[in-house]
Amino acid sequence: MKKIVLLLALSAGLGLTAKAQDKPVSFGVKAGLALPNQTASAMGLSISTSSKTSFYVGAVANINLSPMFTFQPGLTFIGKGGEVDFSDIAEEFGFGEDDVADMKATTNMSYLELPLNLLANFAAGNGKVFIGAGPFAAYALSGNDKVGGEKVDYEFGSGDDQVKRMEFGLNFLGGYQLKSGLNIHAGYGLGLSNLQNSSNEKVKNKVFTVGLGFNF
């Protein structure tokens, strides 16, 4: 009889321990600051735009593969693009600084992004440190260029004078999460695909992000 009671108590203890461990699947939200820029090249010339200020907001699923590794797909709305001060690149394109004085251009693009990241987790203090990477696919919702007070909306499609809707690249991220579920994180998105259809012109997105998240 004592053995039965002992086994029942042990089973109950194991059950409580299992409940205390991370759930196999959990969900979270995130939001923060995005600092995107672009690289562009055409006719043997290349430039890297300055970063502009944007934001991102999204949701993630955390699928625990092992005590150490987590697969984290997500869905994120994020602003990308960049800024160009023409006076900084006047010499490269054969213009005098007076010809382009005070001329600035801003590229604004909004994407719905699907990251597929693999995270490694390490216990630290009252929580854990996580680092990871993975591919992403993004779908452009809108885009435009602003030069001075004029705005030109992008046309999306497969024509040489149109912009591609789809973008592909790699994500890198890291951060720290408390046991409560609150986390602070930073990331870098490296676009690998050309946004332009023309083979003579290449434009790629890059974006640095930093923000807060909460896993339920």
Side-chain angles (χ1 to χ4, degrees), residues 4 23 30 45 55 58 106 126 134 153 166 171 184 189 197:
I4 294 175
K23 292 178 287 186
K30 61 180 182 179
L45 298 173
F55 73 97
T106 303
N126 192 37
D153 291 328
M166 294 302 300
N171 276 320
I184 182 171
N197 292 299

Side-chain angles (χ1 to χ4, degrees), residues 65-132:
L65 305 177
S66 72
M68 183 176 182
F69 293 106
T70 303
F71 175 55
Q72 188 184 77
L75 192 62
T76 307
F77 175 85
I78 185 168
K80 300 184 182 182
E83 293 183 343
V84 174
D85 186 335
F86 284 98
S87 62
D88 293 336
I89 60 172
E91 186 176 344
E92 294 181 54
F93 289 88
F95 295 105
E97 289 191 15
D98 292 339
D99 297 329
V100 292
D102 299 324
M103 284 185 61
K104 294 184 180 181
T106 303
T107 297
N108 304 296
M109 301 189 74
S110 298
Y111 283 89
L112 198 58
E113 188 171 286
L114 175 67
L116 301 171
N117 295 317
L118 180 65
L119 306 183
N121 305 281
F122 306 93
N126 192 37
K128 64 179 181 180
V129 172
F130 59 89
I131 56 173

Side-chain angles (χ1 to χ4, degrees), residues 4-82:
I4 294 175
V5 172
L6 182 61
L7 287 173
L8 289 174
L10 180 60
S11 298
L14 290 174
L16 290 173
T17 302
K19 290 181 180 179
Q21 292 177 349
D22 290 338
K23 292 178 287 186
V25 180
S26 63
F27 299 92
V29 293
K30 61 180 182 179
L33 176 69
L35 298 172
N37 73 319
Q38 293 182 323
T39 57
S41 62
M43 298 180 294
L45 298 173
S46 62
I47 63 169
S48 181
T49 70
S50 300
S51 297
K52 54 167 284 188
T53 302
S54 188
F55 73 97
Y56 67 95
V57 59
V60 298
N62 300 290
I63 303 171
N64 291 320
L65 305 177
S66 72
M68 183 176 182
F69 293 106
T70 303
F71 175 55
Q72 188 184 77
L75 192 62
T76 307
F77 175 85
I78 185 168
K80 300 184 182 182

Side-chain angles (χ1 to χ4, degrees), residues 143-207:
N144 63 70
D145 283 330
K146 288 185 178 180
V147 181
E150 296 186 9
K151 182 178 78 169
V152 179
D153 291 328
Y154 288 166
E155 289 187 13
F156 293 95
S158 57
D160 284 351
D161 58 346
Q162 295 177 316
V163 178
K164 295 178 182 178
R165 286 270 187 196
M166 294 302 300
E167 180 195 13
F168 302 94
L170 294 174
N171 276 320
F172 304 90
L173 71 159
Y176 183 78
Q177 180 173 308
L178 297 171
K179 291 181 180 179
S180 64
L182 181 67
N183 69 74
I184 182 171
H185 55 266
Y188 182 73
L190 177 64
L192 299 178
S193 58
N194 184 13
L195 306 184
Q196 303 295 319
N197 292 299
S198 173
S199 59
N200 297 321
E201 184 180 1
K202 294 184 179 180
V203 178
K204 297 180 181 181
N205 282 319
K206 298 185 291 183
V207 57

